[in-house]
């Protein structure tokens, strides 16, 4: 793949998945594939920065709350918004078309509120006892779920929007290469911390997110931007829980 496309793809990934100011020169399906394959690398950077709040003096719960707040700021709350919208859509029990219409609304319904509250409580509780390597691992796991959700053969639920732009743009070899790189990074984090929890948590986070992806495809017919956001938060939460449980 040409270096120019890789560069454009990385810029696209940073601009789409974070609030970091970066010049994005191209937004099309040719660079969407490299962008989504690079999503775990963006997660690595986000986790590394947000995790600095955990190093501040004070109660561990305060550090966890500040780290999660910083992470939300670094991503403009985009993934949390997607999680809430998907919860409202799926929780409605409506057919796919009606559920998608609910997800497009700007307000948040009761299912979305409950899901956000529970998710953030679980994340904060898990992160309180898990620490810096866990947050970095969780951020990588959540974004690795995006790579797999954009594999060839995964359709978009709508003809327009972010889902249609990136759906099916990542080849299987690219997805496996991103996974191998993520495993290597998290294994390194684990070795530095004296635990094998990070790579296990990465696998658990990805697996949990893929279960949600399967359910969303069955209910909605494909992926949307909201589905992507929900996958990120699901993978992140599952990885944090595993890191908190394992020694």
């Amino acid at each position: 793949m040409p270096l120019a496309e890789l560069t454009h793809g990385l810029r696209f990934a940073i601009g789409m998945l974070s609030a970091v100011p970066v010049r994005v020169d191209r937004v099309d399906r040719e660079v969407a594939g490299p962008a989504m394959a690079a999503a775990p690398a963006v997660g690595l950077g986000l986790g590394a920065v947000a995790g600095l709040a955990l190093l501040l003096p004070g109660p561990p719960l305060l550090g966890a709350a500040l780290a999660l707040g910083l992470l939300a700021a670094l991503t403009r709350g985009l993934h949390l918004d997607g999680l809430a919208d998907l919860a409202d859509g799926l929780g409605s029990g409506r057919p796919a078309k009606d559920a998608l219409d609910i997800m497009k609304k700007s307000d948040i319904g009761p299912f979305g509120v409950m899901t956000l509250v529970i998710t953030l409580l679980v994340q904060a509780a898990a992160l309180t006892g898990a620490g810096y390597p866990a947050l970095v691992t969780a951020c990588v796991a959540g974004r690795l779920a995006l790579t797999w959700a954009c594999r060839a053969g995964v359709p978009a639920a709508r003809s327009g929007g972010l889902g249609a732009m990136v759906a099916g743009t990542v080849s299987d070899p690219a997805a496996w290469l991103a996974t191998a790189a993520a495993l290597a990074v998290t294994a390194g984090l684990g070795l530095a911390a004296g635990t094998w929890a990070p790579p296990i948590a990465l696998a658990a986070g990805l697996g949990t997110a893929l279960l949600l992806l399967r359910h969303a495809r069955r209910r909605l017919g494909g992926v949307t931007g909201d589905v992507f956001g929900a996958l990120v938060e699901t993978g992140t939460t599952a990885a944090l829980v595993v890191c908190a449980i394992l020694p």
Side-chain angles (χ1 to χ4, degrees):
M1 180 177 293
L3 179 60
E5 285 193 9
L6 291 175
T7 301
H8 287 306
L10 182 58
R11 289 177 177 174
F12 184 10
I14 295 173
M16 178 175 58
L17 300 175
S18 78
V20 176
V22 61
R23 188 181 70 186
V24 180
D25 298 317
R26 287 181 58 186
V27 179
D28 54 50
R29 287 182 61 81
E30 287 186 5
V31 300
M36 302 315 288
V42 177
L44 176 64
L46 291 171
V49 174
L52 295 176
L54 297 170
L55 306 180
L56 296 174
L61 179 58
L62 176 61
L66 291 174
L68 293 174
L70 180 55
L71 182 60
L74 289 171
T75 58
R76 306 185 192 92
L78 183 66
H79 310 311
L80 291 169
D81 179 68
L83 176 66
D85 287 342
L86 181 63
D88 281 332
L90 296 181
S92 70
R94 303 282 185 84
K97 181 180 182 303
D98 294 337
L100 289 169
D101 288 340
I102 291 172
M103 291 163 60
K104 288 179 67 176
K105 294 180 179 180
S106 59
D107 59 336
I108 299 179
F111 289 105
V113 172
M114 289 188 295
T115 301
L116 282 180
V117 170
I118 293 171
T119 298
L120 289 172
L121 280 174
V122 171
Q123 288 182 356
L127 186 55
T128 297
Y132 188 92
L135 182 60
V136 176
T137 297
C139 288
V140 173
R143 280 72 185 174
L144 182 60
L146 295 181
T147 303
W148 283 87
C150 291
R151 287 179 301 121
V154 179
R158 301 189 184 101
S159 58
L162 177 62
M165 168 71 71
V166 302
T169 59
V170 178
S171 66
D172 283 347
W176 282 111
L177 180 60
T179 304
L183 280 171
V185 169
T186 54
L189 287 171
L191 286 174
T195 174
W196 280 105
I200 297 173
L202 178 79
L206 176 59
T208 304
L210 291 181
L211 288 176
L212 176 60
L213 173 62
R214 180 181 178 183
H215 180 58
R217 287 183 63 182
R218 185 171 63 250
R219 286 280 285 105
L220 304 175
V223 293
T224 68
D226 288 331
V227 172
F228 291 143
L231 293 176
V232 169
E233 293 300 332
T234 299
T236 298
T237 304
L240 284 174
V241 168
V242 171
C243 282
I245 292 174
L246 294 181

